[in-house]
Amino acid sequence: MIEVAELPEPTRWRNWAGNQRADVPVVHPGSAEEVAELLVAAAAAGRRVRPIGSGHSFSGVGRPEDLQLVCDRLAGIRAVTDAGLVTVGAGTTLHRLNLELQRRGWSLTNLGDVDRQTVAGALATGTHGTGARFGGLATQVRGLKLVLPSGEVVECDAGRRPELFAAARVGLGALGVVTAVTLQAEPAFALRAVEGPGTLTAALEGFDELMTSTDHVEFYWFPHTDATLLKCNTRVPVDGLAPLPRWRAVWDDELLANAAFAGVVAAGRRVPALVPPLARLSARALGARTWTDHSHRVFVSRRRVRFLEMEYAVPRETAPQVLAELRRVHEASDWRSAFPVEVRTAAADDIPLSTASGRDTAYIAAHVPAGSDPGCWFGALERIAGEVGGRPHWGKLHGLDAAVLRERYPRFDDVVGLRDRLDPAGVLGNAYLDRVLGPGARG
């Protein structure tokens, strides 16, 4: 039996970007039963528990207050059926899962551009990739095993406890501690990647045609310029792989996209006046390239330069006006933005707190260097996106609270009511959840 009174000494924790920190006791349960014992003991002691994966969220969604539950011992692939249903421990990283699926001849349908998150953490915050016909990671979930705040261990899917299953696919870690996930994989496929320069003007004039021109499209706009880097990925069989030569991958992805860009960011922080010319240089540095590789190797990019991020999901048809206004406001200011703005799309889904719930969606993300003040740049994106009902990514920075979010999610109160029934004492809460979902009965 885990006794809260006998917890280890506090450990210093920080997230990937370094903007969320805490000093709390840390536990590493190895089973759902150990999680259950911990939650029961914490409730009896009036403590709050936050589960954490890899700490890749920029928001305070995973920040612990009394006790941190790390899911690293709840990891590994547990089963893969002939139909492609793969059950994994909640603490399994997407990187490890992708490699294991490739070895078995399977792929996940869609991925974001980072794969170091745990499966449960990525689901809890609504992680997504791009593709106008494809949903986020949570749309691939077929079953969940989780421990409720009461200590009850439950399994849910579309037929068993469907209300809980619907909400917990993107549950912010507020409904229970997920210990295992079943995902629907598909037969392994490759992506033919075509990347090259473009312009924001052209992207806005033909936005819908561009973003639906192939399976997975995204682009990066470099503020201070009209330049974009366009990435178009087409799904193809795995028998025609033509990966980048090793030297080209190192040159593009390590030297230019990471090492050289780190120098650009550092120079811009020391001398802000250098940012506009350096942005033009960055836009020209990454030239056209085409290659074909296993899907996860194309979906995922290395991110060695640390940053803070805000991302808003807006109705897809409003994206051109949002981006046009963002450019206008940026050009009218004296802001210095070294990081490009990322633009992606996703299909509508039926998950209550998914940012794409009920509507085809475009995602617009702004970034600043880690350790800097996002200030007016993030504020501008939040205001402009808010005018069209924008929904913030749960794992990224934003300033909204439950009163505003309730207006933007038609089923918001269904999830909050479920949270209040399952966790009346707020055992799984923290300050962030109190803000975005309301404090509940505990408050």
Side-chain angles (χ1 to χ4, degrees):
M1 176 70 179
I2 297 174
E3 296 291 345
V4 171
E6 300 174 0
L7 290 173
E9 291 296 314
T11 297
R12 178 159 296 179
W13 170 82
R14 53 174 282 172
N15 65 343
W16 178 82
N19 65 309
Q20 302 290 342
R21 301 168 185 255
D23 292 283
V24 296
V26 177
V27 292
H28 300 257
S31 67
E33 291 69 28
E34 289 185 13
V35 173
E37 292 178 358
L38 176 68
L39 294 183
V40 170
R47 303 284 190 92
R48 297 182 117 181
V49 180
R50 282 308 289 157
I52 193 71
S54 300
H56 268 269
S57 290
F58 304 92
S59 72
V61 64
R63 187 180 183 277
E65 295 179 357
D66 297 328
L67 180 63
Q68 185 174 68
L69 190 160
V70 178
C71 298
D72 54 349
R73 293 180 59 208
L74 301 168
I77 291 185
R78 301 179 180 177
V80 181
T81 72
D82 291 342
L85 289 173
V86 52
T87 300
V88 298
T92 309
T93 64
L94 290 170
H95 173 74
R96 177 180 173 186
L97 175 57
N98 290 328
L99 292 176
E100 292 290 337
L101 287 177
Q102 177 189 320
R103 187 168 66 83
R104 291 168 166 84
W106 298 96
S107 297
L108 292 179
T109 299
N110 202 1
L111 289 165
D113 58 4
V114 176
D115 64 357
R116 303 297 159 162
Q117 312 101 314
T118 63
V119 171
L123 290 172
T125 53
T127 294
H128 62 90
T130 191
R133 295 187 294 111
F134 301 91
L137 184 63
T139 64
Q140 299 169 60
V141 176
R142 297 297 179 266
L144 295 169
K145 182 176 183 179
L146 67 164
V147 183
L148 303 182
S150 65
E152 181 186 1
V153 180
V154 301
E155 295 189 25
C156 59
D157 53 35
R160 296 177 295 175
R161 303 192 70 157
E163 181 188 21
L164 176 59
F165 174 69
R169 284 178 290 170
V170 179
L172 313 187
L175 305 177
V177 176
V178 174
T179 61
V181 177
T182 298
L183 296 158
Q184 179 65 67
E186 62 178 272
F189 65 95
L191 289 172
R192 181 175 184 269
V194 179
E195 299 182 1
T199 67
L200 183 61
T201 297
L204 299 189
E205 289 175 352
F207 184 83
D208 201 57
E209 293 79 6
L210 171 65
M211 302 307 285
T212 59
S213 61
T214 191
D215 296 311
H216 306 275
V217 181
E218 65 183 314
F219 66 84
Y220 296 80
W221 164 53
F222 294 83
H224 309 286
T225 79
D226 190 41
T228 62
L229 173 64
L230 180 62
K231 297 185 176 184
C232 299
N233 299 326
T234 303
R235 301 157 73 90
V236 296
V238 293
D239 56 5
L241 299 183
L244 286 172
R246 175 66 178 167
W247 70 266
R248 181 66 188 272
V250 171
W251 176 260
D252 287 353
D253 300 329
E254 293 294 343
L255 295 178
L256 291 180
N258 282 292
F261 185 62
V264 167
V265 171
R269 295 189 72 172
R270 288 194 299 269
V271 185
L274 290 176
V275 170
L278 288 174
R280 291 188 287 271
L281 178 65
S282 296
R284 292 194 298 268
L286 296 173
R289 62 180 188 172
T290 299
W291 81 101
T292 302
D293 210 339
H294 291 286
S295 57
H296 66 92
R297 293 180 181 171
V298 179
F299 280 134
V300 173
S301 301
R302 294 178 177 88
R303 293 285 185 265
R304 305 198 192 283
V305 181
R306 306 214 174 201
F307 53 84
L308 300 175
E309 182 175 358
M310 170 181 281
E311 181 177 69
Y312 263 84
V314 300
R316 195 172 83 189
E317 66 275 11
T318 69
Q321 73 186 66
V322 170
L323 285 163
E325 178 63 9
L326 192 64
R327 176 170 62 179
R328 186 195 69 77
V329 170
H330 189 276
E331 290 176 347
S333 76
D334 60 354
W335 301 332
R336 298 291 183 260
S337 306
F339 280 82
V341 172
E342 185 179 20
V343 181
R344 296 178 284 176
T345 58
D349 62 49
D350 63 352
I351 302 169
L353 290 186
S354 165
T355 47
S357 183
R359 67 192 193 192
D360 290 334
T361 294
Y363 293 96
I364 300 171
H367 313 72
V368 299
S372 61
D373 181 5
C376 297
W377 182 216
F378 281 15
L381 174 57
E382 187 157 77
R383 176 184 60 78
I384 295 167
E387 292 173 355
V388 296
R391 299 165 177 168
H393 189 299
W394 297 108
K396 301 177 184 180
L397 296 178
H398 69 93
L400 304 190
D401 61 16
V404 178
L405 292 165
R406 178 172 286 107
E407 298 173 355
R408 302 190 186 180
Y409 286 92
R411 295 157 68 191
F412 184 86
D413 283 324
D414 294 343
V415 178
V416 172
L418 181 61
R419 186 277 312 261
D420 291 345
R421 293 195 301 275
L422 295 176
D423 191 14
V427 175
L428 291 176
N430 67 2
Y432 177 83
L433 294 181
D434 288 347
R435 172 165 68 88
V436 300
L437 298 179
R442 182 181 189 272

